[in-house]
Amino acid sequence: MNKLVLVIISMAFTLMPLCAKEIAVDDFPAQWYKDKEYKIVEPHLDYDYSSLKREKIWLVPVEKYSTPHHVYDGMTVKLKVKRNARIGRDLLKRGTPATAVVELWTTNGMTGIPATITLGDVKIQGLDTNKLYCYYVKEGQNRTVWILPLKWALTWLPFVGSFTNLIKGGQAVLKPGDDIPVYYYYDWK
């Protein structure tokens, strides 16, 4: 008898959405963005996206940036070109100033989860920013590799495994010695 009741109840709940008279429309986004300004990103139609010819440019930070010391989303990071790079017939000289934007940063967390700094939107003086590609993630020390096995090994003792949750991961630090690869896509015409 219990199986029959469960089958009837499950059929009633699975067929109920099919009997809906109208589709629910969410008008919250339209009202939220009604009086706000936002940037619409348009594709660059004048660039030949089928070309895969690119040049790798190495950048380094000018100063030290770390997650516990005032890193925030949208922050501009000062960079410079590490070594000379040939862009077509032109030469990009070492020491040319560049900037990047912190697109995302996360703090370090419990159980050994590391902090991260994600860089993007790179601008190099004298180069077309539409042809630059950079996605760089700097991560702190990942301690979950040894904390999680230790935690599960200690679970047979009451509450002892829970103390490993208090160990935090490492901070993310961008130092002047870090190499940041950036790709410049260009056309050979």
Side-chain angles (χ1 to χ4, degrees), residues 19 23 30 38 53 60 81 86 91 98 103 109 111-115 141 145 149 158 170 177 179-180 186:
C19 301
I23 296 174
Y38 54 93
K53 295 180 181 179
V60 291
V81 176
R86 181 141 321 263
L91 181 68
E103 291 184 349
T111 317
I113 297 173
Q141 185 183 25
V145 176
D179 293 338
I180 301 171
Y186 56 96

Side-chain angles (χ1 to χ4, degrees), residues 28-41:
F28 177 74
Q31 299 220 351
W32 177 262
Y33 290 110
K34 181 173 56 176
D35 57 344
K36 293 181 175 44
E37 286 186 31
Y38 54 93
K39 181 180 176 184
I40 298 175
V41 178

Side-chain angles (χ1 to χ4, degrees), residues 86-182:
R86 181 141 321 263
I87 309 295
R89 294 182 181 160
D90 299 329
L91 181 68
L92 183 65
K93 296 195 180 229
R94 184 180 72 175
T96 303
T99 60
V101 174
V102 176
E103 291 184 349
L104 177 71
W105 71 279
T106 59
T107 59
N108 58 341
M110 300 297 197
T111 317
I113 297 173
T116 61
I117 298 175
T118 305
L119 296 179
D121 193 24
V122 173
K123 295 177 183 164
I124 300 175
Q125 184 178 357
L127 293 181
D128 185 11
T129 58
N130 296 330
K131 297 180 181 180
L132 286 172
Y133 174 75
C134 174
Y135 184 79
Y136 180 75
V137 178
K138 179 69 176 191
E139 204 173 71
Q141 185 183 25
N142 188 356
R143 297 183 181 131
T144 58
V145 176
W146 62 271
I147 289 176
L148 290 179
L150 179 66
K151 176 182 177 176
W152 290 109
L154 295 175
T155 54
W156 63 277
L157 294 169
F159 305 110
V160 175
S162 298
F163 288 117
T164 59
N165 291 339
L166 301 176
I167 302 171
K168 294 182 96 175
Q171 299 289 349
V173 179
L174 277 172
K175 298 177 288 212
D178 292 339
D179 293 338
I180 301 171
V182 175

